Each structure stands twice: as structure tokens, then as C-alpha cells.
Amino acid sequence: MSAVLAPVADDVLIRLRGIRKQYGGGDAGQGGPPPVEVLRGVDLDIHAGEFVAIVGASGSGKSTLMNMLGCLDRPTAGTYAFGGQDVAGMNADELAWLRREAFGFVFQGYHLIATESARENVEVPALYAGMPADQRHARATALLERLGLQGRFDNRPNQLSGGQQQRVSIARALMNGGRIILADEPTGALDSRSGAEVMALLGELADAGHTIILITHDRKVAAQARRVIEISDGRIVSDDGTATQIESPVTLPPLDLSRARHDSGAPLLAELADAARAAWRVLWLNRFRTGLTLLGIVIGVASVIVMLAIGLGTRQQVMAQLGAFGSNLLYMASRGESSRIPGRSITLGDLEALADVPGISHVLPNVTGNKVIRHGNLDVQTYVRGTGAALPRIQTWPVARGGFFTDEDDREMATVAVLGARLAQKLMPDVASPVGETILIGNVPFQVIGVMSAKGALTGEKDEDDVLLLPFSTAGIRVFGQREPTYTVLAAADVSRVAEVEAAVDAVLFERHRIRDYGISNAAASIAAEARTQDNMTMMLSLIAAVSLVVGGIGVMNVMLMTVRERTREIGIRMATGARRRDILRQFLTEAVLVSVVGGVAGIVVGVAFAGLLLVWQVPVIFSLSAIGGAFGCAVVTGLVFGYMPARKASGLDPVVALAG
Ligand code: ADP
Ligand code: MG
């Protein structure tokens, strides 16, 4: 020990003074475990190019010391100077840089990333150093070949023997130069032959100028090093101290520590690409679990797309139909009790007055009610509408067969009738041409002169075709026994002036009635109302879809939390090989986003396919790119938001804690 404490030359690479490490004890007063002091004042100097073995019984603190040396852990007390610089003053990123550039770790349990191939494992440290991909592949290949792993490049760790895995981990330790190889029981899990090979390798590396710090409990293994330090119970008890006579034929150039501060690591894009590749690998390996978790996102995105497509489609259809039936029409009806005739405040006199209102092209009075109609011995209850001769034109409802009654029929109270398409079917199922047939309402015979075209084909409203149309005055007097209209349709000459006409009509009626015992509405207003209802429906459906996206997001969070827990050791390995906190954060965020991108794409495919199917079934559907893009964007954002917490958790792990995990 005196040799170590003696003044040494300035080329000391690692200098430990009074290093202590204590576990627990923080809350000993409250009944926590008593503090354990694992390192109890370690002083140690290591020069560049040395091949040192640290030997000691199990539990003596060797691994703890190695974690200190490798900057995976910080001491409780004491100083650690690396290349003359106090490590305590370096932040997490600078320490990551130091681990990446200065150290190469070889562990008893190899600590390879299980999902990556041998070559990819070797490449990891270079990845975080920002080495371009082709250079990285070439160097990893060369190292693996040098270590005798030809033909095993693409094997995953579980497809390699223990000796081979340890050689892969040595290659990884050398990837960024491996100035200092820290090997913790590297032969511990190996058979004697593989163990001997690994020791031979370490010897060669020492000859090539690498500094080797070998940790072992086995004195025979330790004896192969050029300097043996014995540790017992957290203290160095012997050191054969050949420190001053290292005769390495080669020495590696010293590390420029000032670079730690300006380190920018890997270029963002290259790193993201690599993170995406690694993430894809992991997702693929866990595809069943990932798929299940993704269902939430898939259903969310698909339902947003389908709901919006249906909403838009229905809206447009409704608008088109309402538009086709004349947004130039006004509907006017009595309202409430009238001072004159109960329930019939609007009179024929009113209608005559309205005929003079400018901008009105037609006044179409209607009298309606349900009646039983007989043909032959068939009785059918139907809706009877007495109306004007202009009906087919005003309501864009053409006659299919025969003709329509005229103004003259109306004046003469002719007993002629026109059948709605559905009524014709119901009343005369076996008659080839209903025109010319006679029907009875009560005991009044009517001659059928025409059949209307089916309106339901346009509106989907089949009941509109179950109707009997009669001249207004005939219906009023001979069928319903009233002269006043039930309601009146007013046609404006100019669609764009419907509102003006409505105001004028209101003025005339109010002038005549002095009380608003009538109501006026127009198709434009009902179109707007209908559109609003449709929009509300779409909103509600989209809300439901959005909720399922949130559920999907929680699924992503869940799978990411599981991933982080399962891969704690991988996180430790990545940190030991030089990943900074933000590299880890990026990797897990990339994974979360990739999960949701996959879910989003699947959702788009499912949604579009389903909506397409609806189209085949005649459900009106309109795809909107913004809905599809929006749903996809939401999925990705969901992944980011819900993936952040697990990724944060991963990146916040302590390297030693993660490695032990
Ligand atoms: P070695 O590698 O020499 O076998 P370690 O350095 O792994 O020994 O451990 C030294 C001692 O420190 C052991 O007694 C172990 O129980 C204790 N120890 C190691 N890590 C922890 C920890 N995180 N918390 C508490 N005790 C620990
Ligand atoms: Mg150990």
C-alpha cells in the first residue's frame, strides 16, 4: 500500500483518494436497514497501459469499486480524478461521454441486448458516439472477426455460447477504442477453456496498450495480470505495486477531456432512424402483446374516420335533398286558437291578399287528413291531400303516369284523383294501369287520372308516397267539409329572396289578423336546422371516437411502462456504453410513437375499408383527408403524450441501478 501512497508521476490515469461507499442508513432512525459501508477508504492509482487485477472474496466490494471506476456510480465520500480532472464536477452527460470514450465494460453476465444481433450489440457504443453507419458496420465486423466470431454476426445473444457472448462483449468494449477495459469476473460464467481464451485476449489487449482492470475472486486468474491488488472488506489490503514498471510496447494516445463539454453525441436524424429500427425489432418480437395494446388506437382512429365519413355523407345527402325540394318554398299554417274559426285562422281571403305580395310566384293551399279509400273490395287508410294544380312543378315532383289535375278541375270541384306511387301499389296491386280506375272516398266516386313518381327514392321517406292527391276545393268541400286550408305552400320567385318574401307575408297577415295566430317557416331554415342536428351528431360521434383514442393512449402508456420495466437492464447496458439520458428518452419516445404510428396506419386501413363497405351498402359516406390526417395526427400525439412518462422514467434511471435490474 505504501507504494500506492507514495508520490507518483503525473501520468496517473485514475487516482482514487479516500473513496467510501455506503448503502442505506438514510432513515436508520426510522427503522430502515442500518447503513452498510461497502468501500471504506480506498486509495488507488492506475497508470495508462497497466494490466491490474483486483482480487478479493465475494462481497468484499469489488463490483462496487468497479462501478466507481467506470463512473457508473458516485462515491459517498472521497475523490476520483480521471486524467487529473475531478469526476465529481462532471454532469450526467459528461460522465456518459467519459464512459463512452474511455471505458469498455465486460461483465460476468455479458450484458448483451437480447433483441439485437451480435454485430448490432457491438455497434451500440459507436451509435451514441455518432459514428456513421457504414463505418460502424465495418468496424464491428472487423472486431468480431478479430475475436473469432466469423459467421456469427447476425446471431442474437441466445444463439451464441457463453464464450462467444463474452467475446462479443469484449468487441463491444473495444468499439470506441476501449482505452480502459473494466472486466468484472469476465471468466466467472465460462468453462475453463473459454475462460482461458478470454484471459489470453485480455493479455493481448494489454500488450496492445489498453489499460485493463480485471476483477476476480480467483487468485489464479488474478495471477495472469501484471499487478495484483487485493481487496477485503472494502479496503485494499495488498498491492504488489509494479505501477512504476509498466512496459507496454505501445501506449494509446491520451483522451482529450475538454471534449466532454462540447460533446453533441449522435446526429439527431441518424439516432432517430436507429431508435426506430431498434423499436421496430422490439415491437415485432412482442407483436401479439403490442397488437392487443394497439387495438385501442386502431379502433379510435378507425371510428373517427368512419364516423366523420358517415356524418359528412349524410349531411351532404340531406342538404341535397332539402335543396332539391326547393329552398324557395315557405310553409304557412294556422297556429293556436283563432278568434274566427277554431284552428283555421288562415282563410281563403288571406290567400287572395297574399297573391299580390311581390316575389311570390305561387300560392298553393292544402287541406289534409286521413281517410279510408276503397277500390273494388279493398279498403286502405291513407293520407289525403287536397292541393293546387301547380304542385308537381313547385315541389319538383313529377307525374309518372297519366296527368295531374288542372286549375279548372279545382274550380269545378272535379272528382279526379292522383295516386302516390306507394298508394297505387297498395290499393291496386294487380292493376296494370291505375289511370281510369274509379275509387271511393266515403260514397263519393273519384276517377284516377294519374300516378306520381316515387318520391321516396330521393328522400328515403316512403310515407310521402302513401298519399292521395285531390284538387283543393274538391277535397275541402266533398271530403273534409271545410273551405280553409290546413296549410299553405308559398313559392318565392327568387331563391335568394325567400327571407324578404317571408317578412312581406308576415306583414300582410299581421295587418289582417292583428295577432300572430299563424306560423311561417321556410325550407332554408329547416335545412339549416337539419344541418345543425347532423353536425351535433357528428360531433358526438367524434367525441366517442376521441375517447377511444385516449383509451388507446393509456394502452400505449401501459405497454411502454411494461417495456421499460422489462428492459431495465438494457437501459443500464446502453448507459454503460455511453448513452446520455436524452438518448434513452429519445429511444423510448420513438418506440411509443412508432407503436401509435403503426396503430394509426392500421386504424386508417380498417376505417377506410369499413367505410368503403358501408358505401357498398348504400350508406352515404364521404371521406375527408383532413379527418383521416387529423385522426392519424391525434394517434401520434397520443403516443407522444402517453409515451413521455415511461420514457422519462427510463431515462431517469441510475446506470448502476438499471444494470442490476
Ligand atoms: P463483490 O463484487 O466483491 O462480490 P459487491 O461490490 O457486489 O461485492 O458488494 C459488496 C457488498 O455491498 C455486499 O455485501 C453487498 O451485499 C453490498 N451491496 C452491494 N450493492 C448494494 C446495494 N445497492 N445496497 C445495499 N448493499 C449493497
Ligand atoms: Mg461482484
Side-chain angles (χ1 to χ4, degrees), residues 21-24 33-34 36-39 55-67 73 108 184-185 215-217 231 233-234 656-657 660:
K21 180 68 186 181
Q22 182 176 318
Y23 287 111
V36 204
E37 192 150 58
V38 178
L39 293 179
V55 67
S58 174
S60 53
K62 305 182 297 292
S63 294
T64 309
L65 180 58
M66 189 197 85
N67 290 337
D73 203 357
Q108 174 173 4
D184 189 357
E185 308 269 13
I215 281 167
T216 179
H217 65 278
I231 182 171
D233 212 6
V656 247
V657 176

Side-chain angles (χ1 to χ4, degrees), residues 8 151 207 213 239 247 252 307 527 551-552 561 565 591 610:
V8 271
D207 290 339
I213 302 174
D239 181 349
E247 247 117 74
L252 296 175
M307 300 294 176
I527 289 175
V551 173
L561 282 173
R565 184 143 79 209
E591 233 171 276
F610 190 72

Side-chain angles (χ1 to χ4, degrees), residues 493-516:
D494 182 352
V495 184
S496 64
R497 307 181 74 168
V498 173
E500 275 172 51
V501 172
E502 185 174 338
V505 168
D506 183 58
V508 169
L509 286 180
F510 192 69
E511 161 90 33
R512 291 171 61 89
H513 290 211
R514 295 271 148 223
I515 173 177
R516 286 219 161 67

Side-chain angles (χ1 to χ4, degrees), residues 284-556:
W284 183 247
L285 286 172
N286 296 314
R287 54 192 173 277
F288 185 67
R289 182 176 84 186
T290 313
L292 278 181
T293 320
L294 278 185
L295 273 183
I297 295 261
V298 174
I299 292 172
V301 169
S303 48
V304 167
I305 290 172
V306 173
M307 300 294 176
L308 286 178
I310 292 178
L312 277 175
T314 318
R315 185 182 205 271
Q316 214 213 27
Q317 194 188 42
V318 167
M319 302 287 275
Q321 282 163 1
L322 288 175
F325 298 123
S327 37
N328 64 327
L329 299 185
L330 292 173
Y331 298 87
M332 184 175 76
S334 308
R335 190 166 65 187
E337 290 304 302
S338 161
S339 51
R340 291 171 279 189
I341 311 154
R344 307 249 187 276
S345 58
I346 293 177
T347 61
L348 291 175
D350 289 332
L351 298 191
E352 268 162 41
L354 286 176
D356 298 333
V357 171
I360 290 188
S361 62
H362 280 96
V363 177
L364 194 74
N366 294 271
V367 56
T368 60
N370 287 312
K371 287 286 168 189
V372 175
I373 299 160
R374 164 168 292 192
H375 175 255
N377 52 10
L378 205 59
D379 279 345
V380 166
Q381 159 112 11
T382 197
Y383 180 69
V384 176
R385 176 177 176 189
T387 190
L391 171 93
R393 202 147 37 89
I394 296 184
Q395 295 208 334
T396 338
W397 188 7
V399 175
R401 290 155 163 236
F404 205 73
F405 43 80
T406 59
D407 285 326
E408 201 183 338
D409 291 332
D410 195 4
R411 272 196 300 278
E412 291 173 358
M413 276 187 270
T415 50
V416 291
V418 176
L419 304 182
R422 191 166 155 75
L423 177 65
Q425 281 166 19
K426 271 166 66 178
L427 199 60
M428 308 175 187
D430 306 321
V431 179
S433 172
V435 176
E437 296 287 317
T438 302
I439 57 172
L440 282 175
I441 305 176
N443 47 20
V444 184
F446 283 80
Q447 195 194 2
V448 176
I449 57 166
V451 178
M452 301 303 284
S453 59
K455 207 174 181 184
L458 257 178
T459 58
E461 182 73 65
K462 294 231 164 34
D463 283 355
E464 287 195 55
D465 291 320
D466 190 1
V467 66
L468 181 72
L469 301 172
L470 303 176
F472 172 72
S473 44
T474 320
I477 290 158
R478 308 202 62 162
V479 179
F480 296 111
Q482 71 174 67
R483 295 185 61 84
E484 286 74 27
T486 318
Y487 72 95
T488 306
V489 180
L490 303 169
D494 182 352
V495 184
S496 64
R497 307 181 74 168
V498 173
E500 275 172 51
V501 172
E502 185 174 338
V505 168
D506 183 58
V508 169
L509 286 180
F510 192 69
E511 161 90 33
R512 291 171 61 89
H513 290 211
R514 295 271 148 223
I515 173 177
R516 286 219 161 67
D517 54 1
Y518 54 87
I520 308 170
S521 65
N522 65 58
S526 58
I527 289 175
E530 184 66 25
R532 266 198 303 281
T533 330
Q534 287 293 329
D535 288 349
N536 287 341
M537 279 290 270
T538 309
M539 274 277 283
M540 225 177 64
L541 295 175
S542 309
L543 208 71
I544 294 169
V547 167
S548 64
L549 261 184
V550 171
V551 173
I554 293 170
V556 170

Side-chain angles (χ1 to χ4, degrees), residues 127 194 208 228 513 521:
L127 198 75
S194 307
V228 180
H513 290 211
S521 65

